[in-house]
Amino acid sequence: MTHTASTEAKMPDAGQGLNPAEPEGGAQGTKAFGPKGRGTKPARPYESPNVLGGILGWVWLGIIILPIYFIVITSFRSRQDLAANNQLVPTAEPTLQNFVRVIENDFFHFFLNSVIVTISTVAVVLAVSVMAAYYITRSTSWGGGRLFQMILLGIAIPVQATIIPVYYLIQYLGLYDTLWALILPQIAFAIPLSVLIIVNFVRDIPNELFESMRVDGAGEWKILTSLVLPMSKPALMTVGIYQALQVWNGFLFPLVLTQSRDVRVLPLSLWEYQGQFGVDTPATLAAVVLSALPLLAAYIVGRRYIVAGLTAGFSK
Amino acid sequence: MTETAAPRSTDAPESPQGPKVADEAKRPRPTTPPKKSGIHRQGPSFLMAVPAVALFGLFALVPLFGVIAISFLDWQTVRGTVEWVGTSNWETVLSDRSFTWRALELTVYFVVGSYLFQMPTALLLGVFMAGAQKYRALLSVLYFLPLLFSSVAVGLTFQSLFSPNYGISAALSWLPLPNDWLSNPNLVMFVMVFVVGWCFIPFHALLYQAGVRQIPQTMYEAATLDGAGRVRQFFSITLPQLRYTFITSSTLMLVGSLTYFDLIYVLTGGSPANAVRILPLDMYIEGFSSHNLGNASVIAVILVAIGLALSLLLNVLSGSTKMQSDKAGA
């Protein structure tokens, strides 16, 4: 009791000392940002400023931004400039030469490969996972539960641990050094988590909806496409965005399962650029910046959907 | 992870928090007769699950058993010979190679260190981001940025940033910063834990933020009326209510730490003095650089065992906490 009282008494003081503007900002924010129509209330239940969170928040911002700032300003430098001037101050003579060099080295080709691999993988993962989730949640037979348990164990299998047999399997199937070698195994390793997330949603669809559709004579496909798919849309977004990030940024599968320039994807191309450009740090970092631009563009356009999509399924 | 969905079905009638489920259970179901037997079952057929099972089986389960098998083989890739050698790979890896135990030790440091760094930071950031002020929304936008970089991109970025000649130490030479971030065996483990945290904390903070936003505001209102301060509310409401997020996030963090191969490979390649040669990296070097696939498979099997043990442990732990906190929350 005494503890509670003393913290209450201290918190507002400490907060105002550090950041006097905060309470005012809080009141504004509640109107604009308050969850689900609570905007009419005068204030959120606790409006004493979150001092610890605030300090951590700003410190963390610095930690996040510094490396990004560094690669961006460095990518506009020349090599000579990097050696001669302070590395954390933007150059006085910015140049686009580094970007030109990267683009001339087949950047768009690698980009296209990444697009193909990511879209195919995610599309197949979504299709097969939603069907499996439908079976798992609605199956009345013994198999559904067993299948779910097996798939849950799959989450714990570290991808690295199976890369050696996957390498042989891919060679045996004659798929080594093709885009298929990247797509098929990544689908497999995306399935467990995807099924888990989608199952959590499909499970919440009321039984009555399934039953009424059955009574109306709907078949499995009809139920899947007009009931399960629309109702599990948040889960599908979560899975789609999360797995797209994983596949787009994945490095181990391309490193082990492909070799030639024709099927190189972006993360591997960065690795190769580094070898090719050698000590030309600005050119390497220009490639890093270019490789992040497509996702940055996607994030700027669809930020709301991306963040909502990422969190919807995981927070279930 | 199994438990995430369980309470909805098990404790529905008692729980005042779940009106939807309770309704569902009470409402009469006039149209459908109870479960038919045999062929006339109502559920979807197994065919629905076949594509997922086939893909998962062929490219994840078969390799999983494959790696166990290869750990008992002497597989010479260059000569193309395969020979059953029993436990000899296991003996080599566990006794003759001094690396293995060192790698296991480093893996434990790495996983524990990553967790201790990521979990509290992500939790506090998530709670902070869930607050109302506008500038927090702006910060949340910026926090997301590391998720847009591939691990190779992050690796190359930090390689430059930590470079003694062109990096932060050169730029801030007036500060007593070390300039051997990546070449000092005593420092490199901390650097790796930090860089991996840089990449993954934003994602987990996002999960916690979403978790906090789902906590009913009435709980905080009631607590405020009862005179509970912010700190008290954090420990008595926010933390218990975040338990599922906590389990999801912890599982992803811990199992994920076992597989942080990419970044470490790009940033250090295991050097200096193999100070960050954790198990996945050890396996890659042994298998694909030294071509000892048998030995590498032994390491892989150890990795799988640790991964499964961790997940099962988390499942058991979350199962026991679940029952307690459900009662407290109701």
Side-chain angles (χ1 to χ4, degrees), chain A residues 86-151:
Chain A
N86 189 309
Q87 288 80 3
L88 289 179
V89 178
T91 176
E93 296 153 4
T95 167
L96 286 174
Q97 272 312 304
N98 300 314
F99 294 96
V100 172
R101 197 170 165 198
V102 174
I103 289 170
E104 279 173 352
N105 277 285
D106 289 341
F107 179 83
F108 289 111
H109 179 71
F110 307 144
F111 172 76
L112 191 66
N113 281 338
S114 275
V115 171
I116 294 171
V117 169
T118 306
I119 291 183
S120 336
T121 306
V122 171
V124 178
V125 166
L126 288 179
V128 303
S129 301
V130 80
M131 292 198 304
Y134 174 39
Y135 170 73
I136 286 171
T137 44
R138 303 299 302 175
S139 165
T140 48
S141 70
W142 166 92
R146 285 297 110 82
L147 181 62
F148 195 44
Q149 283 171 356
M150 187 189 82
I151 284 191

Side-chain angles (χ1 to χ4, degrees), chain B residues 223-286:
Chain B
T224 310
L225 287 180
D226 290 348
R230 170 178 282 281
V231 175
R232 181 66 188 268
Q233 290 185 13
F234 176 76
F235 284 106
S236 304
I237 302 175
T238 312
L239 275 190
Q241 288 290 317
L242 282 177
R243 60 192 181 275
Y244 293 129
T245 314
F246 183 77
I247 295 160
T248 309
S249 157
S250 294
T251 310
L252 289 173
M253 263 181 207
L254 289 172
V255 179
S257 315
L258 279 177
T259 61
Y260 289 154
F261 159 82
D262 316 20
L263 257 173
I264 299 183
Y265 181 67
V266 172
L267 258 176
T268 69
S271 59
N274 294 313
V276 279
R277 186 164 167 164
I278 63 171
L279 282 173
L281 186 65
D282 190 36
M283 186 207 75
Y284 180 85
I285 295 174
E286 187 71 10

Side-chain angles (χ1 to χ4, degrees), chain A residues 22-282:
Chain A
E22 214 179 13
E24 192 192 318
Q28 276 177 5
T30 318
K31 271 179 217 151
F33 215 77
K36 292 165 202 160
R38 270 172 229 280
T40 46
K41 293 201 174 166
R44 282 167 65 96
Y46 52 91
E47 276 308 325
S48 60
N50 182 352
V51 182
L52 185 62
I55 295 171
L56 179 70
W58 288 104
V59 169
W60 188 250
L61 181 71
I63 293 177
I64 290 291
I65 291 298
L66 179 70
I68 298 174
Y69 167 77
F70 175 75
I71 50 166
V72 173
I73 60 163
T74 308
S75 65
F76 289 104
R77 277 184 205 282
S78 65
R79 267 176 69 189
Q80 295 73 23
D81 190 87
L82 181 67
N85 297 308
N86 189 309
Q87 288 80 3
L88 289 179
V89 178
T91 176
E93 296 153 4
T95 167
L96 286 174
Q97 272 312 304
N98 300 314
F99 294 96
V100 172
R101 197 170 165 198
V102 174
I103 289 170
E104 279 173 352
N105 277 285
D106 289 341
F107 179 83
F108 289 111
H109 179 71
F110 307 144
F111 172 76
L112 191 66
N113 281 338
S114 275
V115 171
I116 294 171
V117 169
T118 306
I119 291 183
S120 336
T121 306
V122 171
V124 178
V125 166
L126 288 179
V128 303
S129 301
V130 80
M131 292 198 304
Y134 174 39
Y135 170 73
I136 286 171
T137 44
R138 303 299 302 175
S139 165
T140 48
S141 70
W142 166 92
R146 285 297 110 82
L147 181 62
F148 195 44
Q149 283 171 356
M150 187 189 82
I151 284 191
L152 284 177
L153 278 185
I155 294 176
I157 303 175
V159 175
Q160 275 74 13
T162 53
I163 192 71
I164 294 168
V166 166
Y167 170 72
Y168 281 117
L169 186 65
I170 288 293
Q171 278 196 329
Y172 178 77
L173 295 173
L175 298 175
Y176 181 75
D177 209 20
T178 65
L179 290 182
W180 287 108
L182 303 181
I183 296 170
L184 292 172
Q186 299 202 93
I187 293 172
F189 284 100
I191 284 175
L193 192 60
S194 309
V195 169
L196 172 71
I197 292 172
I198 300 173
V199 159
N200 279 340
F201 267 80
V202 178
R203 212 173 242 167
D204 284 353
I205 303 174
N207 204 16
E208 285 80 358
L209 292 179
F210 284 101
E211 283 171 358
S212 65
M213 284 200 78
R214 282 233 178 267
V215 170
D216 292 347
E220 281 179 17
W221 280 108
K222 183 77 183 156
I223 295 182
L224 182 70
T225 50
S226 41
L227 177 62
V228 177
L229 271 185
M231 295 289 274
S232 55
K233 207 173 151 198
L236 296 180
M237 270 185 66
T238 301
V239 168
I241 294 168
Y242 181 77
Q243 301 297 1
L245 278 173
Q246 297 281 319
V247 175
W248 181 271
N249 289 333
F251 176 58
L252 181 69
F253 282 110
L255 180 68
V256 173
L257 301 177
T258 66
Q259 202 170 24
S260 61
R261 205 177 166 83
D262 279 349
V263 294
R264 197 174 288 165
V265 290
L266 276 184
L268 196 60
S269 79
L270 287 181
W271 182 239
E272 301 289 336
Y273 280 135
Q274 193 208 18
Q276 187 186 340
F277 297 160
V279 289
D280 193 346
T281 308

